[in-house]
Amino acid sequence: MSLYQPRRAVLYVPASHQKALAKSTTLHPDAIIYDLEDSVAPEIKQQARENLRLHFQEQGQITITQALRINSLSTEWGQDDLRLAAELRVQAVVLPKAETPQQIIDVARQLDHDDAPENLEIWAMIETPRGILNADEIARLAQKSAARLRCFIIGTNDIALSTGVKTTNQRSALLPWMMQIILAARAGGIDVLDGVYNNFQDQAGFAAECEQGAMLGFDGKTLIHPSQIETALNSYSSTAEEAAWANQVIAAFNLPENAAKGAISLNGTMVEQLHIRQAERVLKRIPKSVKRFSD
Protein backbone atom coordinates (compact mmCIF):
# COMPACT_ATOMS: atom_id res chain seq x y z
CA MET A 1 0.00 0.00 0.00
CA SER A 2 1.11 3.58 -0.65
CA LEU A 3 1.78 6.22 1.98
CA TYR A 4 -1.25 8.23 0.86
CA GLN A 5 -3.15 9.77 3.76
CA PRO A 6 -6.75 10.87 3.23
CA ARG A 7 -7.49 14.54 3.85
CA ARG A 8 -11.24 14.53 3.30
CA ALA A 9 -12.17 16.65 6.31
CA VAL A 10 -9.57 19.07 7.68
CA LEU A 11 -10.70 21.15 10.64
CA TYR A 12 -9.24 24.51 11.69
CA VAL A 13 -8.97 24.91 15.47
CA PRO A 14 -7.89 28.33 16.86
CA ALA A 15 -4.96 27.91 19.23
CA SER A 16 -6.24 30.85 21.28
CA HIS A 17 -9.46 29.00 22.16
CA GLN A 18 -8.79 26.55 24.99
CA LYS A 19 -12.28 25.06 24.90
CA ALA A 20 -11.92 24.35 21.17
CA LEU A 21 -8.52 22.76 21.76
CA ALA A 22 -9.96 20.45 24.39
CA LYS A 23 -12.91 19.58 22.16
CA SER A 24 -10.60 18.72 19.25
CA THR A 25 -9.37 15.57 20.99
CA THR A 26 -12.89 14.11 20.86
CA LEU A 27 -13.42 14.73 17.14
CA HIS A 28 -12.56 12.55 14.17
CA PRO A 29 -11.70 14.53 11.05
CA ASP A 30 -8.83 13.29 8.90
CA ALA A 31 -6.68 16.20 10.05
CA ILE A 32 -6.70 19.17 12.40
CA ILE A 33 -4.99 22.47 11.62
CA TYR A 34 -4.18 24.30 14.84
CA ASP A 35 -4.30 27.96 13.82
CA LEU A 36 -1.89 30.61 15.00
CA GLU A 37 -2.61 33.00 12.14
CA ASP A 38 -5.93 34.59 11.15
CA SER A 39 -8.00 33.41 14.12
CA VAL A 40 -5.49 34.68 16.70
CA ALA A 41 -5.23 38.41 17.49
CA PRO A 42 -1.70 39.89 17.55
CA GLU A 43 -1.73 40.59 21.28
CA ILE A 44 -2.38 36.91 22.15
CA LYS A 45 -0.07 35.16 19.67
CA GLN A 46 2.37 34.18 22.42
CA GLN A 47 -0.40 32.93 24.69
CA ALA A 48 -1.80 30.85 21.82
CA ARG A 49 1.59 29.13 21.42
CA GLU A 50 1.64 28.35 25.14
CA ASN A 51 -1.91 26.98 24.86
CA LEU A 52 -0.70 24.59 22.17
CA ARG A 53 2.30 23.43 24.19
CA LEU A 54 0.03 22.60 27.12
CA HIS A 55 -2.52 20.95 24.84
CA PHE A 56 0.08 18.64 23.30
CA GLN A 57 1.42 17.76 26.74
CA GLU A 58 -2.02 16.83 28.03
CA GLN A 59 -3.55 15.06 25.01
CA GLY A 60 -3.46 11.30 24.84
CA GLN A 61 -2.48 9.19 21.88
CA ILE A 62 -3.95 10.57 18.68
CA THR A 63 -4.03 8.97 15.25
CA ILE A 64 -5.27 11.81 13.07
CA THR A 65 -2.92 14.16 11.24
CA GLN A 66 -2.04 17.31 13.18
CA ALA A 67 -0.90 20.45 11.39
CA LEU A 68 0.02 23.93 12.55
CA ARG A 69 -0.83 27.07 10.59
CA ILE A 70 1.96 29.53 11.23
CA ASN A 71 2.19 33.23 10.60
CA SER A 72 4.27 34.21 7.60
CA LEU A 73 8.03 34.26 8.22
CA SER A 74 7.93 37.93 7.22
CA THR A 75 5.98 38.70 10.41
CA GLU A 76 7.38 39.00 13.90
CA TRP A 77 5.68 35.74 14.92
CA GLY A 78 6.59 33.40 12.08
CA GLN A 79 9.95 32.14 13.34
CA ASP A 80 8.58 31.32 16.80
CA ASP A 81 5.60 29.55 15.23
CA LEU A 82 7.88 27.43 13.07
CA ARG A 83 10.10 26.50 16.02
CA LEU A 84 6.97 25.42 17.88
CA ALA A 85 5.94 23.18 14.97
CA ALA A 86 9.31 21.43 15.13
CA GLU A 87 9.11 21.17 18.92
CA LEU A 88 5.61 19.67 18.92
CA ARG A 89 6.51 17.33 16.04
CA VAL A 90 3.27 17.95 14.19
CA GLN A 91 2.86 16.23 10.84
CA ALA A 92 2.55 19.42 8.77
CA VAL A 93 3.14 23.16 8.73
CA VAL A 94 0.52 25.22 6.93
CA LEU A 95 2.06 28.26 5.26
CA PRO A 96 -0.43 31.09 4.61
CA LYS A 97 -0.36 33.26 1.50
CA ALA A 98 2.30 31.30 -0.35
CA GLU A 99 3.31 33.29 -3.41
CA THR A 100 6.78 32.13 -4.45
CA PRO A 101 8.84 28.94 -4.36
CA GLN A 102 11.39 30.75 -2.20
CA GLN A 103 8.87 31.02 0.64
CA ILE A 104 8.53 27.23 0.68
CA ILE A 105 12.30 26.80 0.54
CA ASP A 106 12.77 29.23 3.44
CA VAL A 107 10.30 27.31 5.62
CA ALA A 108 11.88 23.97 4.72
CA ARG A 109 15.37 25.25 5.55
CA GLN A 110 14.22 26.64 8.87
CA LEU A 111 12.57 23.31 9.73
CA ASP A 112 15.86 21.56 8.94
CA HIS A 113 17.70 24.07 11.13
CA ASP A 114 15.26 23.38 13.98
CA ASP A 115 15.80 19.61 13.64
CA ALA A 116 12.22 18.97 12.61
CA PRO A 117 11.42 15.37 11.63
CA GLU A 118 12.14 14.61 7.97
CA ASN A 119 8.51 13.63 7.42
CA LEU A 120 7.13 16.97 8.64
CA GLU A 121 5.31 18.29 5.57
CA ILE A 122 4.56 21.77 4.24
CA TRP A 123 1.03 22.57 3.11
CA ALA A 124 0.97 25.82 1.13
CA MET A 125 -2.09 28.06 1.08
CA ILE A 126 -2.77 29.58 -2.33
CA GLU A 127 -4.92 32.59 -1.55
CA THR A 128 -3.59 35.65 -3.39
CA PRO A 129 -3.46 36.69 -7.06
CA ARG A 130 0.33 36.23 -7.08
CA GLY A 131 0.00 32.83 -5.49
CA ILE A 132 -2.44 31.72 -8.18
CA LEU A 133 -0.16 32.94 -10.96
CA ASN A 134 2.81 31.11 -9.43
CA ALA A 135 0.96 27.94 -8.37
CA ASP A 136 2.59 25.77 -11.02
CA GLU A 137 6.09 27.01 -10.19
CA ILE A 138 5.46 26.42 -6.48
CA ALA A 139 4.05 22.92 -7.07
CA ARG A 140 7.19 21.91 -8.98
CA LEU A 141 9.03 21.97 -5.65
CA ALA A 142 7.15 18.83 -4.64
CA GLN A 143 9.50 16.86 -6.90
CA LYS A 144 12.30 17.68 -4.42
CA SER A 145 11.85 15.88 -1.11
CA ALA A 146 13.93 18.50 0.71
CA ALA A 147 11.24 21.09 -0.02
CA ARG A 148 8.72 19.07 2.04
CA LEU A 149 5.78 20.36 -0.07
CA ARG A 150 2.88 17.88 -0.04
CA CYS A 151 -0.37 19.82 -0.28
CA PHE A 152 -2.09 22.98 -1.51
CA ILE A 153 -4.98 24.60 0.33
CA ILE A 154 -7.11 27.09 -1.57
CA GLY A 155 -7.95 30.18 0.49
CA THR A 156 -11.19 31.15 -1.20
CA ASN A 157 -12.05 33.90 1.29
CA ASP A 158 -8.75 35.72 0.77
CA ILE A 159 -8.90 35.25 -3.00
CA ALA A 160 -12.35 36.81 -3.08
CA LEU A 161 -11.21 39.66 -0.83
CA SER A 162 -8.08 40.46 -2.83
CA THR A 163 -9.73 40.24 -6.26
CA GLY A 164 -13.21 41.56 -5.55
CA VAL A 165 -14.99 38.58 -7.12
CA LYS A 166 -18.20 37.27 -5.57
CA THR A 167 -18.47 33.80 -4.05
CA THR A 168 -22.16 33.49 -4.97
CA ASN A 169 -23.69 31.48 -7.84
CA GLN A 170 -21.85 28.27 -6.95
CA ARG A 171 -18.55 30.16 -6.89
CA SER A 172 -18.70 30.51 -10.67
CA ALA A 173 -16.35 33.52 -10.71
CA LEU A 174 -13.73 31.56 -8.74
CA LEU A 175 -13.90 28.34 -10.75
CA PRO A 176 -11.24 29.19 -13.38
CA TRP A 177 -8.68 30.01 -10.69
CA MET A 178 -9.65 26.99 -8.59
CA MET A 179 -9.12 24.70 -11.56
CA GLN A 180 -5.79 26.40 -12.28
CA ILE A 181 -4.61 25.59 -8.75
CA ILE A 182 -5.93 22.02 -8.94
CA LEU A 183 -4.11 21.50 -12.24
CA ALA A 184 -0.86 22.82 -10.77
CA ALA A 185 -1.21 20.53 -7.75
CA ARG A 186 -1.79 17.47 -9.94
CA ALA A 187 1.17 18.35 -12.15
CA GLY A 188 3.30 18.54 -9.02
CA GLY A 189 1.90 15.30 -7.63
CA ILE A 190 0.45 16.82 -4.45
CA ASP A 191 -2.94 16.93 -2.77
CA VAL A 192 -5.20 19.97 -2.93
CA LEU A 193 -7.90 20.99 -0.45
CA ASP A 194 -10.92 23.22 -1.00
CA GLY A 195 -11.45 26.38 1.04
CA VAL A 196 -13.83 26.82 3.96
CA TYR A 197 -17.59 27.34 3.87
CA ASN A 198 -18.35 30.26 6.18
CA ASN A 199 -21.97 29.66 7.16
CA PHE A 200 -21.64 26.52 9.29
CA GLN A 201 -25.36 26.60 10.08
CA ASP A 202 -26.23 26.17 6.38
CA GLN A 203 -25.79 22.43 6.13
CA ALA A 204 -27.51 22.16 2.75
CA GLY A 205 -25.28 24.81 1.22
CA PHE A 206 -22.21 23.20 2.72
CA ALA A 207 -23.16 19.77 1.38
CA ALA A 208 -23.66 21.26 -2.09
CA GLU A 209 -20.23 22.91 -1.99
CA CYS A 210 -18.63 19.64 -0.86
CA GLU A 211 -20.31 17.87 -3.78
CA GLN A 212 -19.00 20.54 -6.13
CA GLY A 213 -15.49 20.27 -4.69
CA ALA A 214 -15.41 16.49 -5.05
CA MET A 215 -16.57 16.84 -8.67
CA LEU A 216 -13.81 19.38 -9.37
CA GLY A 217 -11.20 16.94 -8.08
CA PHE A 218 -10.31 18.26 -4.64
CA ASP A 219 -9.00 15.71 -2.13
CA GLY A 220 -10.99 17.21 0.72
CA LYS A 221 -12.44 20.28 2.39
CA THR A 222 -11.12 22.62 5.06
CA LEU A 223 -13.65 23.26 7.81
CA ILE A 224 -14.37 25.91 10.41
CA HIS A 225 -16.79 23.99 12.63
CA PRO A 226 -17.05 20.41 13.94
CA SER A 227 -20.62 20.11 12.65
CA GLN A 228 -19.17 20.05 9.11
CA ILE A 229 -16.94 17.00 9.64
CA GLU A 230 -19.38 14.22 8.87
CA THR A 231 -20.68 15.81 5.67
CA ALA A 232 -17.14 16.38 4.38
CA LEU A 233 -16.07 12.83 5.21
CA ASN A 234 -19.08 11.40 3.40
CA SER A 235 -18.75 13.70 0.38
CA TYR A 236 -15.09 12.86 -0.19
CA SER A 237 -15.33 9.16 0.69
CA SER A 238 -15.40 6.31 -1.79
CA THR A 239 -18.72 4.80 -2.76
CA ALA A 240 -19.44 1.09 -2.37
CA GLU A 241 -19.13 0.69 -6.13
CA GLU A 242 -15.72 2.42 -6.16
CA ALA A 243 -14.51 0.25 -3.29
CA ALA A 244 -15.65 -2.93 -5.05
CA TRP A 245 -13.77 -1.88 -8.21
CA ALA A 246 -10.63 -1.11 -6.20
CA ASN A 247 -10.67 -4.49 -4.50
CA GLN A 248 -11.08 -6.20 -7.85
CA VAL A 249 -8.14 -4.32 -9.36
CA ILE A 250 -5.80 -5.17 -6.49
CA ALA A 251 -6.93 -8.80 -6.38
CA ALA A 252 -6.46 -9.17 -10.14
CA PHE A 253 -2.90 -7.83 -10.11
CA ASN A 254 -2.07 -10.02 -7.11
CA LEU A 255 -2.76 -13.15 -9.16
CA PRO A 256 0.53 -14.95 -10.01
CA GLU A 257 -0.23 -14.94 -13.72
CA ASN A 258 -0.59 -11.12 -13.70
CA ALA A 259 2.40 -10.27 -11.50
CA ALA A 260 4.65 -9.20 -14.40
CA LYS A 261 1.97 -7.61 -16.56
CA GLY A 262 1.67 -3.86 -17.08
CA ALA A 263 -1.98 -4.07 -18.17
CA ILE A 264 -4.71 -6.65 -17.87
CA SER A 265 -8.36 -7.06 -18.83
CA LEU A 266 -10.81 -6.76 -15.95
CA ASN A 267 -14.53 -7.20 -16.55
CA GLY A 268 -14.07 -6.18 -20.17
CA THR A 269 -12.00 -3.08 -19.36
CA MET A 270 -8.25 -2.58 -19.63
CA VAL A 271 -6.57 -1.62 -16.36
CA GLU A 272 -2.91 -0.78 -15.87
CA GLN A 273 -0.41 -0.78 -13.03
CA LEU A 274 -1.20 2.89 -12.40
CA HIS A 275 -4.72 1.85 -11.45
CA ILE A 276 -3.28 0.03 -8.43
CA ARG A 277 -2.30 3.37 -6.90
CA GLN A 278 -5.72 4.74 -7.73
CA ALA A 279 -7.34 1.70 -6.13
CA GLU A 280 -5.26 2.13 -2.96
CA ARG A 281 -6.42 5.73 -2.65
CA VAL A 282 -10.03 4.64 -3.11
CA LEU A 283 -9.73 2.08 -0.32
CA LYS A 284 -8.20 4.61 2.05
CA ARG A 285 -11.23 6.83 1.50
CA ILE A 286 -13.82 4.29 2.60
CA PRO A 287 -16.20 5.98 5.09
CA LYS A 288 -15.53 5.63 8.79
CA SER A 289 -17.96 6.29 11.60
CA VAL A 290 -17.59 9.79 12.98
CA LYS A 291 -18.62 11.32 16.24
CA ARG A 292 -21.51 13.70 15.75
CA PHE A 293 -21.18 17.20 17.17
CA SER A 294 -23.87 18.98 19.07
CA ASP A 295 -23.61 22.35 20.70
Side-chain angles (χ1 to χ4, degrees):
M1 296 291 284
S2 70
L3 295 178
Y4 168 75
Q5 295 295 320
R7 313 190 212 275
R8 300 162 297 176
V10 178
L11 177 68
Y12 285 106
V13 175
S16 57
H17 197 311
Q18 292 181 325
K19 182 178 179 181
L21 288 174
K23 180 71 178 179
S24 70
T25 61
T26 70
L27 303 172
H28 301 279
D30 286 326
I32 290 176
I33 298 175
Y34 295 105
D35 188 23
L36 290 170
E37 196 222 8
D38 277 352
S39 67
V40 180
E43 60 270 17
I44 56 173
K45 297 283 189 184
Q46 182 176 347
Q47 182 59 53
R49 283 193 292 269
E50 292 305 317
N51 290 346
L52 272 183
R53 281 195 179 92
L54 182 60
H55 174 69
F56 273 70
Q57 290 170 5
E58 294 180 342
Q59 72 177 3
Q61 186 175 7
I62 190 166
T63 58
I64 64 175
T65 298
Q66 294 177 301
L68 181 62
R69 181 161 72 165
I70 66 171
N71 291 275
S72 170
L73 294 189
S74 63
T75 70
E76 61 185 283
W77 311 289
Q79 294 285 351
D80 288 338
D81 293 347
L82 205 52
R83 280 190 284 270
L84 179 64
E87 173 190 331
L88 299 180
R89 303 181 78 83
V90 294
Q91 285 75 54
V93 165
V94 178
L95 178 64
K97 298 177 178 61
E99 295 188 322
T100 66
Q102 189 61 48
Q103 289 174 295
I104 309 299
I105 293 170
D106 289 344
V107 171
R109 286 176 175 169
Q110 186 62 48
L111 287 171
D112 292 341
H113 180 268
D114 294 334
D115 295 323
E118 291 184 1
N119 61 353
L120 198 162
E121 303 174 349
I122 295 174
W123 299 357
M125 297 196 69
I126 307 299
E127 49 186 344
T128 67
R130 182 61 59 192
I132 296 171
L133 291 173
N134 289 338
D136 178 57
E137 188 179 358
I138 295 170
R140 290 173 188 264
L141 286 177
Q143 303 306 311
K144 301 178 181 180
S145 60
R148 299 175 179 262
L149 182 63
R150 300 293 181 270
C151 185
F152 275 169
I153 300 174
I154 292 185
T156 44
N157 283 338
D158 280 275
I159 291 173
L161 178 64
S162 59
T163 62
V165 303
K166 305 296 184 183
T167 58
T168 54
N169 192 27
Q170 298 182 314
R171 305 190 290 183
S172 58
L174 287 171
L175 287 179
W177 298 330
M178 292 164 66
M179 292 306 301
Q180 186 175 340
I181 298 168
I182 292 170
L183 190 63
R186 295 309 179 215
I190 61 176
D191 287 347
V192 56
L193 305 180
D194 197 1
V196 299
Y197 188 81
N198 298 317
N199 186 357
F200 62 83
Q201 295 183 328
D202 179 12
Q203 289 293 334
F206 176 69
E209 192 162 290
C210 283
E211 182 179 353
Q212 180 197 43
M215 182 270 294
L216 292 174
F218 284 108
D219 292 288
K221 183 84 169 161
T222 48
L223 318 173
I224 61 169
H225 195 272
S227 64
Q228 298 174 323
I229 294 173
E230 186 171 1
T231 298
L233 287 174
N234 290 335
S235 297
Y236 286 94
S237 289
S238 303
T239 65
E241 292 77 11
E242 290 170 337
W245 169 85
N247 280 313
Q248 289 174 359
V249 168
I250 292 174
F253 275 106
N254 281 339
L255 293 174
E257 61 267 30
N258 294 331
K261 294 181 179 179
I264 60 175
S265 176
L266 180 64
N267 299 330
T269 302
M270 291 300 296
V271 293
E272 304 175 56
Q273 287 282 340
L274 63 89
H275 289 107
I276 297 177
R277 296 193 299 274
Q278 183 180 353
E280 290 171 347
R281 291 171 69 95
V282 166
L283 293 179
K284 282 189 177 268
R285 294 172 68 148
I286 292 176
K288 298 178 181 179
S289 59
V290 296
K291 186 180 181 67
R292 289 182 179 273
F293 175 85
S294 58
D295 292 316

